[in-house]
Amino acid sequence: MSAAAPEAAKGIIDLYSRRADDWDADRGRGLEAEKPWLDAFLTHVPAQGQVLDLGCGSGEPVARYLIEQGRAVTGVDASPGAIALCQKRFPDHDWVVADMRGLDLGRVFDGLIAWHSSFHLTREDQRALFAVHARHLRPGGVLMFTSGDQDDETIGEWRGEPLYHASLSTAEYRDRLREAGFEVLDHAVGDYARGGVTVWLARRVDGRMGE
């Protein structure tokens, strides 16, 4: 871990809270990378099913697409500004200002998505997040998230500010999913045919709730 990493990791919520409008302006609205994966995810979510979007940002384009496909979305993000944009754009859905770490909404969903969000957490926090996923998915519910493909952490830059990312190893992600009661349905490392992203799609297969 570099000396700057702990501060960069702790600063993620502050960064997105201060600059929600900038992030929204920079976020592309196209779905070239996302759509094939979103469609695969939705094949496992009933029509009019309930989806939890962790790290929903401003709701575009991912939550918008889920809503357009007839799903009811509950979005969670630690940035009040991002949630305000969601509430303005999609007032008929539920939007919650909260940190995904340790989240407990007291309800379960048919699907849970964390697209380009949980990889901003430290490796320790990512390990703990699998209990959050299990806690919020009904047995048979489906989880989709993006990650890195090796045990590492990096500090990039966005608009002149440090931007933290971390990843577990592929083997550890598989182990953590299995331990939390998930089976992997699909996984692609650097799926360049679909935007170059590393994606996990998994189903909750037992009745254990996240602790």
Side-chain angles (χ1 to χ4, degrees), residues 61 125 183 198:
D125 286 338
E183 64 173 352
T198 294

Coordinates of all heavy atoms in Angstrom, one line a residue, residues 61 125 183 198:
P61 N -26.3 6.2 -16.8 CA -27.4 5.5 -17.6 C -27.9 4.2 -17.0 O -28.9 3.7 -17.5 CB -26.7 5.3 -18.9 CG -25.3 4.9 -18.5 CD -24.9 5.8 -17.3
D125 N -12.8 -3.6 3.0 CA -14.2 -3.3 3.0 C -14.9 -4.1 1.9 O -16.1 -4.4 2.0 CB -14.4 -1.8 2.7 CG -14.1 -0.9 3.9 OD1 -14.2 -1.4 5.0 OD2 -13.7 0.3 3.7
E183 N -23.5 -18.7 -6.2 CA -22.8 -19.4 -7.3 C -22.6 -18.4 -8.5 O -23.4 -17.6 -8.8 CB -23.7 -20.6 -7.8 CG -25.0 -20.2 -8.4 CD -25.8 -21.4 -9.0 OE1 -25.2 -22.5 -9.1 OE2 -26.9 -21.2 -9.4
T198 N -14.3 -6.0 -16.2 CA -14.3 -7.2 -15.5 C -15.6 -7.3 -14.7 O -15.8 -6.4 -13.9 CB -13.0 -7.4 -14.7 OG1 -11.9 -7.4 -15.5 CG2 -13.1 -8.6 -13.8

